[in-house]
Amino acid sequence: IAKDEIEEIKKRRKIFFILGILILILLGIGYFLFNEDFELRSCEKISDSELKDSCISRLAYDRIDSSLCEEIGDSTFIKSRFSSYDVDPEIVKRKDDCYRSLGEFTNESSNCDKIKNTKLADVCYFVVANNLLDGDLCDKMSTELFMEFTGKRSYYRDNCYTQISQETLELGLCDRVVGTIFHTRESCREALLS
């Protein structure tokens, strides 16, 4: 083999080596660009609806993407407690819990707005309102949900107003308290003024 032919073979090898590296780089970039779709497609391929919904819910939380919550079907699970005040387990739709998790994690009440379960929505609003110290978010809570605390019943929403008023020293929030045995407008004001 002539010296010119050897040099030509070396050039071709270099070109093939460089092309191989470029192809690997492009494949790697393609993998990362389309990986998110791959993960979602992997979840969607699961035949068991509960496992499929659980997979999508985890993916929504990992990506902090509430639009994925909408992809969740009607599967349910038993949630042992909504808050430290609860004692009874309740059956919850995974879609609602997906919105709750993201609402509480991101402090975006728009996720709480999408929850159909009143109790779960109230817990979501309560957490977000307290994290943001925003008493107006307490207004979105129902007046149906009671909590038990040291044997006394109180509206969860009243507790929301009372806690935020104590943190922000906003006396006006006490005027929004409906009042039960445990939380009253007067007890809210007294806590602030003491």
Side-chain angles (χ1 to χ4, degrees):
I1 299 179
K3 189 175 185 179
D4 291 337
E5 289 176 358
I6 292 175
E7 288 299 318
E8 187 64 32
I9 291 172
K10 285 183 180 179
K11 280 184 185 178
R12 285 184 187 166
R13 283 186 180 168
K14 281 184 183 179
I15 291 171
F16 284 124
F17 179 75
I18 291 171
L19 283 173
I21 296 292
L22 287 174
I23 289 171
L24 287 174
I25 289 171
L26 289 174
L27 286 173
I29 290 171
Y31 173 77
F32 286 109
L33 288 177
F34 299 107
N35 188 31
E36 289 184 1
D37 289 335
F38 175 76
E39 289 175 317
L40 181 57
R41 283 194 309 269
S42 296
C43 289
E44 290 172 341
K45 288 180 182 177
I46 298 172
S47 59
D48 181 275
S49 63
E50 289 183 30
L51 292 175
K52 175 181 171 180
D53 289 348
S54 178
C55 179
I56 294 171
S57 180
R58 266 195 317 277
L59 193 58
Y61 191 78
D62 289 346
R63 291 187 192 171
I64 309 171
D65 182 357
S66 64
S67 69
L68 290 173
C69 296
E70 199 54 42
E71 302 295 321
I72 296 172
D74 286 333
S75 69
T76 58
F77 68 102
I78 296 176
K79 188 160 187 73
S80 59
R81 296 171 66 183
F82 284 103
S83 71
S84 58
Y85 301 113
D86 273 346
V87 289
D88 297 327
E90 188 167 322
I91 295 175
V92 174
K93 287 194 178 283
R94 195 166 298 280
K95 183 183 287 191
D96 282 350
D97 195 58
C98 180
Y99 285 124
R100 181 207 53 84
S101 296
L102 287 170
E104 292 178 9
F105 183 73
T106 63
N107 288 322
E108 293 178 18
S109 65
S110 60
N111 289 312
C112 306
D113 296 338
K114 298 172 186 172
I115 299 171
K116 292 182 177 34
N117 179 303
T118 303
K119 192 173 192 179
L120 199 61
D122 281 356
V123 170
C124 184
Y125 287 127
F126 181 85
V127 171
V128 175
N130 276 275
N131 287 344
L132 299 177
L133 297 177
D134 183 353
D136 290 336
L137 289 177
C138 301
D139 292 338
K140 292 185 169 194
M141 297 173 68
S142 74
T143 55
E144 300 167 19
L145 182 60
F146 279 95
M147 59 181 215
E148 294 278 342
F149 190 69
T150 61
K152 297 179 181 176
R153 292 180 68 157
S154 176
Y155 286 116
Y156 210 53
R157 185 159 96 172
D158 287 350
N159 187 38
C160 185
Y161 292 131
T162 302
Q163 282 192 11
I164 293 173
S165 69
Q166 291 175 355
E167 290 292 323
T168 62
L169 303 177
E170 280 186 59
L171 194 56
L173 290 175
C174 293
D175 294 333
R176 297 183 192 178
V177 172
V178 174
T180 56
I181 296 169
F182 190 65
H183 288 291
T184 63
R185 289 181 183 150
E186 292 74 31
S187 66
C188 181
R189 286 188 190 105
E190 287 172 12
L192 278 180
L193 299 174
S194 60

